[in-house]
Amino acid sequence: MMMTAGTNISFDYDNTLIRYKYVYDEDGNPIDAVYTEPHEENIETLQQLHDEGNDIFIVTARIEGLSLPEHDNSPKPEELIEMLDLPVRKIFYTSNRCKMDVLRDNGVTVHFDDCPEQCDRIMDEWAQNCSGPISVLVDAPDGINDFLKEKFSKIIGDLYERES
């Protein structure tokens, strides 16, 4: 994907730069989703886009500083950047809010994401305003984005209840 050098490009994190997979019960129903590995294809795209002179950002719905190692062994974005020496200019955490404001405020013109709803929202804004970022939907297991949101919302809710 060739772009004009100096373009601001962003990548989602979960299921875009790292991969999760479902764990199934004996009836074939998903009962969990677990981290498996960095998403090599998208990391190669990130590196190529940087090598072409573009600035790279991570825009994630994660909550900054939140770590749940007993429930998730995935690296935090900062850890992945260090581990793979990724040329990421900055990480933005949206704490499960829409990414559109962050993308717009930072002049992002292309955003890679595994969430169809997020990509649709970005493209709707483009269609209405003829400006802003263009989204690129990346391949991920069907429905895993919503599954992970529910999983971590429940874990966080349970933690808050125990602390109260």
Side-chain angles (χ1 to χ4, degrees), residues 98-113:
C98 181
K99 298 173 182 173
M100 199 60 225
D101 289 340
V102 171
L103 301 176
R104 193 180 313 106
D105 292 350
N106 290 281
V108 170
T109 57
V110 178
H111 176 71
F112 291 81
D113 206 305

Side-chain angles (χ1 to χ4, degrees), residues 54-65:
N54 300 295
D55 287 325
I56 306 298
F57 300 91
I58 292 176
V59 181
T60 177
R62 285 186 175 210
I63 299 168
E64 187 171 8

Side-chain angles (χ1 to χ4, degrees), residues 1-9 45 48-49 52-54 109-112 134 136:
M1 175 180 292
M2 191 67 155
M3 293 182 199
T4 305
T7 300
N8 290 345
I9 299 172
T45 299
Q48 176 187 356
L49 290 167
E52 291 171 1
N54 300 295
T109 57
V110 178
H111 176 71
F112 291 81
I134 294 174
V136 177

Side-chain angles (χ1 to χ4, degrees), residues 48-150:
Q48 176 187 356
L49 290 167
H50 174 266
D51 291 349
E52 291 171 1
N54 300 295
D55 287 325
I56 306 298
F57 300 91
I58 292 176
V59 181
T60 177
R62 285 186 175 210
I63 299 168
E64 187 171 8
L66 180 66
S67 180
L68 302 167
E70 63 277 7
H71 302 285
D72 181 36
N73 67 343
S74 69
K76 291 190 243 180
E78 297 84 358
E79 294 168 340
L80 185 74
I81 289 168
E82 184 176 332
M83 181 173 49
L84 300 178
D85 194 27
L86 296 177
V88 173
R89 186 166 174 214
K90 188 168 182 176
I91 303 166
F92 295 96
Y93 292 87
T94 67
S95 301
N96 289 319
R97 289 187 303 275
C98 181
K99 298 173 182 173
M100 199 60 225
D101 289 340
V102 171
L103 301 176
R104 193 180 313 106
D105 292 350
N106 290 281
V108 170
T109 57
V110 178
H111 176 71
F112 291 81
D113 206 305
D114 72 300
C115 178
E117 292 82 12
Q118 194 73 242
C119 288
D120 288 347
R121 190 173 296 148
I122 292 167
M123 293 310 290
D124 286 347
E125 171 120 347
W126 193 167
Q128 291 174 12
N129 302 319
C130 294
S131 66
I134 294 174
S135 60
V136 177
L137 182 63
V138 301
D139 186 42
D142 192 37
I144 201 162
N145 189 291
D146 289 334
F147 190 97
L148 285 167
K149 282 181 185 177
E150 287 178 30

